[in-house]
Amino acid sequence: MTSSAFPVSLTPPIVLAPMSGITDLPFRRMVARFGAGLVVSEMIASGEMVTARPSRRAASRARAEVDESVPTAVQLAGRHADAMAEAARIAEGQGAPLIDINMGCPAKKVVGGAAGSALMREPDLALRLIEAVVGAVRVPVTLKMRLGWDGDCLNAPEIAKRAEAAGVRMLTIHGRTRAQFYTGRADWEAIAGVVEAVSIPVIANGDITDARSGRAALAASGAAGIMVGRGAQGRPWLLAQIGAALHGTPAPEIPEGAALADLVADHYEQILSFYGAELGVRIARKHLGWYIDAAGGSAGLRAVLMRESDPARVIHALPDALTPDRAAA
């Protein structure tokens, strides 16, 4: 049965999932502002970090600056032990208090490079990578994976036991196989097999979007905590909200009206500062759309802001765009 001995203090035991193109530093800061036990960076290809001139994308993804009270895991992917170990050393040197190994990404580009969830078909190679990373750093190493490759290869409990023996300090299990991608429903009950196989904490992931689903995932899996992903898009307070409902941590003040417009404007300006105005305007659009959708805001202004390139006009339009659209109700 999983213990609650987390490798770092997770209060509450609710984790922001790594999401490519989403969990960048500005978004992690927004989630940390409200409260989360742990936030995880976007997946970083280890090969991109260890080149003589790492890409700006890889360097920016590895930056771990967040609210000091919220630990940040830098997630690495790859299939070469030397590169994974060196990337872990670089991330640790940049201040990462946790290194997370990706064995769960189902994307064709990642799996085509024999990394991510493809490693679940090669448990011996996966363990060599884990041992290399654990041996390269002093900070705790964690692992994220799926239930298996497909219905005929449900080997998460086996890999979990070997990972624990190699020094991994916490596991996150997405309740689907790679073959399922994100279809169907996450099988939280299947995660219980991993919980029973190890003594380190297990985090349940998949289809957790509110306190009700979080409570159900914990009950079905027996996990020590939960991971929230897409549900936090446009709702950076969601993790703190679930934490308050399930664990009695302080309830966040959910912004509305002018307060929400101020928060979204702050996030927007952080994105532009982080990426530069030209790229930032484009990257910010998806976040603006999620905020407006979550608020039930104006569909017409949403469409306008998805095309607008003038930051001043975007910020000026936010109060109206985020006002609940009574005509659509």
Side-chain angles (χ1 to χ4, degrees):
M1 185 71 175
T2 289
S3 76
S4 58
F6 293 110
V8 293
S9 177
L10 266 63
T11 307
I14 301 177
V15 183
L16 175 66
M19 294 179 283
S20 181
I22 300 169
T23 55
D24 56 15
L25 182 58
F27 186 69
R28 298 197 308 269
R29 280 178 172 157
M30 296 305 296
V31 172
R33 174 186 298 188
F34 289 96
L38 178 70
V39 296
V40 186
S41 75
E42 299 173 81
M43 180 187 71
I44 307 166
S46 56
E48 290 188 17
M49 284 191 71
V50 303
T51 60
R53 298 180 64 182
S55 69
R56 182 186 185 280
R57 179 179 65 175
S60 67
R61 284 182 175 180
R63 291 171 59 192
E65 303 95 326
V66 195
D67 185 313
E68 291 182 357
S69 66
V70 180
T72 300
V74 170
Q75 190 185 73
L76 302 175
R79 65 175 283 106
H80 300 290
D82 291 346
M84 287 287 287
E86 181 59 22
R89 281 190 286 266
I90 292 170
E92 181 185 37
Q94 293 176 341
L98 283 171
I99 304 296
D100 187 61
I101 298 172
N102 183 305
M103 283 177 47
C105 180
K108 292 181 180 180
K109 181 178 179 180
V110 176
V111 170
S117 56
L119 290 168
M120 302 203 72
R121 295 184 298 181
E122 300 181 83
D124 291 341
L125 172 59
L127 265 293
R128 289 197 293 274
L129 300 183
I130 292 168
E131 290 167 348
V133 172
V134 170
V137 296
R138 295 182 297 275
V139 297
V141 175
T142 62
L143 172 65
K144 186 174 190 289
M145 60 180 172
R146 290 188 165 228
L147 296 173
W149 176 256
D150 57 23
D152 295 324
C153 180
L154 299 173
N155 57 353
E158 171 201 343
I159 293 176
K161 286 189 287 187
R162 296 180 68 182
E164 179 183 23
V168 163
R169 301 278 301 280
M170 185 174 76
L171 298 161
T172 300
I173 311 297
H174 185 112
R176 291 181 174 88
T177 64
R178 189 272 171 178
Q180 289 177 286
F181 279 80
Y182 296 100
T183 61
R185 295 291 300 171
D187 187 349
W188 299 323
E189 291 185 358
I191 297 173
V194 178
V195 172
E196 294 296 332
V198 297
S199 60
I200 55 177
V202 174
I203 303 295
N205 176 223
D207 297 338
I208 299 171
T209 58
D210 53 23
R212 181 178 180 180
S213 54
R215 186 178 289 109
L218 289 172
S221 67
I226 56 176
M227 175 174 278
V228 177
R230 289 169 287 178
Q233 294 170 359
R235 299 186 295 169
W237 52 83
L238 179 63
L239 278 73
Q241 190 177 28
I242 295 174
L246 299 188
H247 303 287
T249 50
E253 184 173 341
I254 299 174
E256 297 179 343
L260 178 59
D262 288 345
L263 179 139
V264 176
D266 182 22
H267 189 185
Y268 184 75
E269 290 170 342
Q270 285 191 44
I271 293 172
L272 269 57
S273 176
F274 187 69
Y275 291 102
E278 183 177 353
L279 177 59
V281 163
R282 298 197 299 271
I283 288 175
R285 286 171 179 157
K286 59 193 170 192
H287 290 281
L288 294 177
W290 292 325
Y291 280 118
I292 294 168
D293 290 345
S298 167
L301 282 174
R302 185 191 193 281
V304 170
L305 293 184
M306 292 303 99
R307 299 188 298 270
E308 182 58 66
S309 297
D310 184 340
R313 291 180 178 175
V314 170
I315 292 173
H316 178 74
L318 285 176
D320 289 335
L322 293 162
T323 298
D325 190 346
R326 293 177 176 81

